[in-house]
Amino acid sequence: MQTFARSDLDALRRYADATAQPVDLTDNTNQWGSPPAASEILREGGAVARYPDMYGAAMKDAVARVVGCSVQSVVTGNGSDDVLDCAIRAFGSPGDRLAYPDPTFVMIPVFSRLNSVVPVPVPVDSDGAMDVDALLATKAPIIYLCSPNNPTATATPENAIRRVLDNATGLVILDEAYIDFTTTTGFAREAASRSNVLVCRTLSKAYGMAGLRIGYGVAHPDVIESIEKSRGPFKLNLLAERAAVTALSHDRDWVMARAADAIEHRERFAAELRQLGLPPLSSAANFVFVPTPRAATLTLALETAGIGVRLFVNTTRFGDAIRITIAPWPIMERVLAVLRAAA
Ligand SMILES: *Cc1c(COP(=O)(O)O)cnc(C)c1O
């Protein structure tokens, strides 16, 4: 059939949705659930006949208080996916290059291509951390950084990140989706006073609210203004925004306690994996990345047991690998039982 769609879409695939398993450890969401105060607000519901605030003013206010920046330094989005997409569109002219660590968040090359920006992969180091000097050396007008990096889970030292922020000649996007699992505060506050840095965060991971689709970015007000032009109005739905504001203001203790649980379970799980001869990379997030030539076989064995994990085939540096989200211990024990039986 004749197609009238853009010809460059031929090179892209829809996000592959693997068959959902009863236990879903594929997407690094919070396996302990959603925070209590935000959940209560959702149960209360509310009137939805009117549009929400165009740019998410209440959410901006809550973020500004958490980060310690002005509301003019905050952009909100339908997930941080949306913020990333809008930023690439706002700062990348057609044909511009975007340098990114490889492997990293799978949507980055996709958003680049959809915005007619050329993705330039830069292999991560042998420990899974970004090669910041190689990223800088591309002199790309947009550099995407991710720390802790998805899928390798590796954090990049702050001084290495700062080297990019100090020396980049264009926009630096720093994705801090997993910042709540680290002991560092990240660069959000600093981004507000720099001219070329956007820090992106999400409520989908540590905050346990992936289903609501809430993300945000922090940058200089001029950067924010450009991103909001490409974003357009009404990206946050009214009830989701209300729950997000509540989570940021009242659920911080719950979020930090569950993040601590995830870290404790991660270390225990990683030790067991090493015993099994399946050593993961050192993780600073709520998931582990396990390079192994048996990745496909192990993924199938886990799926047969009703447990979904994310299979990566032929990644740069690490070849085949599985990424496993950390969950309460009885679930990790089930994963280990399958892996032991498959050993
Ligand atoms: C999950 C994830 C996101 C997307 O988060 P949403 O807010 O749900 O769109 C962005 N970046 C990284 C690195 C992620 O792992």
Side-chain angles (χ1 to χ4, degrees):
M1 200 185 82
Q2 189 182 4
T3 169
F4 297 100
R6 274 168 55 174
S7 57
D8 53 357
L9 286 185
D10 288 348
L12 296 173
R13 296 276 158 275
R14 295 207 312 182
Y15 199 93
D17 28 30
T19 334
Q21 299 299 331
V23 174
D24 185 358
L25 307 181
T26 64
D27 57 11
N28 307 337
T29 49
N30 193 325
Q31 300 293 317
W32 280 262
S34 300
S39 301
E40 181 57 33
I41 286 292
L42 285 173
R43 273 191 294 275
E44 282 173 18
V48 292
R50 308 293 309 274
Y51 279 101
D53 182 77
M54 288 193 198
Y55 294 96
M59 172 75 181
K60 285 189 185 196
D61 194 57
V63 170
R65 269 184 281 117
V66 169
V67 170
C69 65
S70 74
V71 291
Q72 289 79 16
S73 280
V74 183
V75 57
T76 66
N78 187 244
S80 61
D81 269 16
D82 184 34
V83 179
L84 292 163
D85 181 32
C86 294
I88 294 170
R89 185 157 58 251
F91 281 81
S93 298
D96 275 354
R97 292 169 306 137
L98 178 151
Y100 67 101
D102 180 28
T104 197
F105 186 41
V106 290
M107 294 310 292
I108 295 306
V110 175
F111 289 144
S112 299
R113 290 201 183 90
L114 284 173
N115 291 304
S116 302
V117 164
V118 181
V120 178
V122 174
V124 295
D125 288 338
S126 54
D127 60 357
M130 299 182 282
D131 184 342
V132 294
D133 295 308
L135 284 160
L136 265 177
T138 64
K139 298 200 177 343
I142 304 177
I143 295 177
Y144 170 85
L145 307 177
C146 188
S147 182
N149 185 42
N150 176 9
T152 58
T154 318
T156 298
E158 286 200 340
N159 58 2
I161 292 174
R162 185 162 283 115
R163 201 150 74 238
V164 182
L165 309 190
D166 285 343
N167 294 295
T169 46
L171 179 72
V172 180
I173 300 174
L174 173 57
D175 192 332
E176 293 188 339
Y178 300 97
I179 193 73
D180 298 300
F181 300 102
T182 74
T183 50
T184 54
T185 49
F187 285 89
R189 186 164 181 178
E190 199 174 317
S193 59
R194 287 178 175 260
S195 61
N196 67 331
V197 180
L198 170 70
V199 168
C200 289
R201 292 184 181 167
T202 175
L203 272 64
S204 298
K205 306 290 162 59
Y207 273 83
M209 300 167 77
L212 291 180
R213 311 303 302 125
I214 300 267
Y216 64 90
V218 178
H220 188 280
D222 294 349
V223 173
I224 297 298
E225 192 180 340
S226 300
I227 297 171
E228 287 192 336
K229 287 181 191 171
S230 83
R231 173 196 188 268
F234 308 130
K235 286 292 189 82
L236 296 189
N237 92 53
L238 195 147
L239 297 177
E241 182 181 10
R242 205 174 286 161
V245 167
T246 304
L248 287 169
S249 318
H250 299 291
D251 282 322
R252 186 75 191 156
D253 289 350
W254 182 93
V255 169
M256 295 314 290
R258 296 296 79 75
D261 288 340
I263 292 165
E264 189 190 321
H265 288 35
R266 176 190 78 205
E267 291 309 303
R268 192 171 161 196
F269 184 64
E272 298 278 352
L273 287 176
R274 284 190 288 273
Q275 293 280 315
L276 285 171
L278 292 168
L281 298 190
S282 172
S283 171
N286 65 334
F287 58 91
V288 291
F289 185 71
V290 188
T292 164
R294 295 166 60 226
T297 311
L298 296 176
T299 300
L300 193 59
L302 286 162
E303 283 175 356
T304 305
I307 301 168
V309 298
R310 182 70 192 274
L311 170 66
F312 287 83
V313 176
N314 198 19
T315 60
T316 298
R317 267 288 184 228
F318 300 104
D320 294 355
I322 44 182
R323 191 190 65 196
I324 308 171
T325 306
I326 301 299
W329 192 252
I331 294 174
M332 302 325 289
E333 194 51 65
R334 280 178 59 190
V335 174
L336 288 168
V338 174
L339 295 178
R340 274 185 209 114

